[in-house]
Amino acid sequence: MATDELSSKLSRRLQIEDGTEGPVAVDEAIHNNNHENGGAAEVEKSSTANADSELGAKLQRRGDLNDGVGDHLQPSMKVFNPYTEFKEFSRKQIKDMERMFKEYDAGKDGFIDLMELKLMMEKLGAPQTHLGLKNMIKEVDEDLDSKLSFREFLLIFRKAAAGELPEDSGLCTLARLSEIDVSTEGVKGAKTFFEAKVQAINESNRFEAEIKEEQEAKKKDAEGRKQRQAAFKELQSAFK
């Protein structure tokens, strides 16, 4: 095949020298060659241009960020700690809310979506319309992803405790039927600096007392298990 192509080129060269055929312009030859190859060269040129454009845009953005222009798009690395952010609730209250949240997070993805919220309200005995459910999520959906994270779930009880929810709203109904006592505690409502300082100290002491109480409860549970295991072993040995 290469021999035929070479022969064709030599034949054409002889015809041009004899004057029987005129030379073809370089641009036309390139155009014909591209046309014969299905425009592959043009496609490659376009792809290269797009890659150069994308790289240029990335370099431009990197330069802007270095100069302090524009915002970084990386997600926040801040770790959510419900015990420090929702100080108005005790550890027991937050654990009760977490237990309820996980119970209705059927997908176990860390969120309560529209259908899971629908099931929750039905089990609580207060079914909502589709629009009502969407409005419930919208009320506390800070990141606008149309589902409830645990933090947004806690916001429901914060608003309920602060009296910020209408009595006839779906969220108020959820908080009321949850059987979780959301009476306010901690530093909320302090009016002066000194009152705030005193209440902050009390909050710290309460927090430590709650942790100690949890540890004592776990210790008692562990001792109870040991005693039951020992009694079971004695019962087994009696039947041998």
Side-chain angles (χ1 to χ4, degrees), residues 1-13 33 36-37:
M1 185 172 181
T3 305
D4 294 340
E5 184 179 355
L6 179 59
S7 176
S8 176
K9 289 182 179 180
L10 290 174
S11 176
R12 182 170 177 76
R13 174 64 63 83
N33 183 55
E36 292 173 358
N37 290 305

Side-chain angles (χ1 to χ4, degrees), residues 172-187:
C172 187
T173 302
L174 187 158
R176 185 171 61 250
L177 296 177
S178 67
E179 298 183 356
I180 296 175
D181 180 15
V182 291
S183 57
T184 57
E185 301 179 40
V187 299

Side-chain angles (χ1 to χ4, degrees), residues 122-222:
E122 289 175 352
K123 286 191 175 182
L124 291 175
Q128 303 288 312
T129 64
H130 183 77
L131 181 60
L133 293 166
K134 292 182 69 174
N135 287 335
M136 287 175 65
I137 292 177
K138 185 177 180 181
E139 180 72 19
V140 290
D141 186 16
E142 293 187 330
D143 55 7
L144 304 178
D145 61 354
S146 299
K147 53 188 176 181
L148 299 177
S149 64
F150 179 51
R151 183 183 182 281
E152 292 166 342
F153 187 71
L154 290 177
L155 289 178
I156 297 173
F157 295 92
R158 169 178 281 176
K159 287 177 176 286
E164 298 176 357
L165 298 175
E167 285 294 326
D168 59 347
S169 70
L171 292 184
C172 187
T173 302
L174 187 158
R176 185 171 61 250
L177 296 177
S178 67
E179 298 183 356
I180 296 175
D181 180 15
V182 291
S183 57
T184 57
E185 301 179 40
V187 299
K188 188 175 180 180
K191 295 180 180 179
T192 68
F193 172 77
F194 295 105
E195 288 176 349
K197 290 289 287 184
V198 171
Q199 290 195 15
I201 293 173
N202 292 337
E203 169 68 21
S204 176
N205 292 338
R206 180 177 65 83
F207 190 77
E208 292 176 2
E210 289 173 349
I211 293 177
K212 187 175 180 180
E213 185 179 346
E214 285 182 10
Q215 292 174 343
E216 289 293 334
K218 290 180 180 179
K219 185 177 179 181
K220 288 181 179 179
D221 289 341

Side-chain angles (χ1 to χ4, degrees), residues 59-154:
L59 291 175
Q60 178 65 39
R61 174 159 178 76
R62 175 63 60 84
D64 290 342
L65 292 176
N66 290 338
D67 294 337
V69 180
D71 298 324
H72 290 273
L73 299 179
Q74 289 87 347
S76 173
M77 299 301 291
K78 183 180 178 181
V79 178
F80 167 56
N81 187 333
Y83 304 112
T84 57
E85 186 169 344
F86 290 83
K87 292 182 179 180
E88 63 266 39
F89 300 129
S90 67
R91 288 176 63 85
K92 183 181 183 305
Q93 288 172 328
I94 292 177
K95 284 184 177 297
D96 287 341
M97 297 175 202
E98 184 179 19
R99 193 177 301 110
M100 182 180 183
F101 181 85
K102 289 181 177 180
E103 178 183 350
Y104 291 102
D105 177 18
K108 306 302 178 187
D109 59 353
F111 296 94
I112 292 179
D113 60 24
L114 189 71
M115 293 306 297
E116 291 167 340
L117 181 61
K118 178 178 183 294
L119 180 62
M120 175 191 293
M121 297 306 294
E122 289 175 352
K123 286 191 175 182
L124 291 175
Q128 303 288 312
T129 64
H130 183 77
L131 181 60
L133 293 166
K134 292 182 69 174
N135 287 335
M136 287 175 65
I137 292 177
K138 185 177 180 181
E139 180 72 19
V140 290
D141 186 16
E142 293 187 330
D143 55 7
L144 304 178
D145 61 354
S146 299
K147 53 188 176 181
L148 299 177
S149 64
F150 179 51
R151 183 183 182 281
E152 292 166 342
F153 187 71
L154 290 177

Side-chain angles (χ1 to χ4, degrees), residues 217-230:
K218 290 180 180 179
K219 185 177 179 181
K220 288 181 179 179
D221 289 341
E223 290 176 353
R225 283 196 299 271
K226 287 182 179 179
Q227 291 176 357
R228 288 192 296 271
Q229 289 174 355

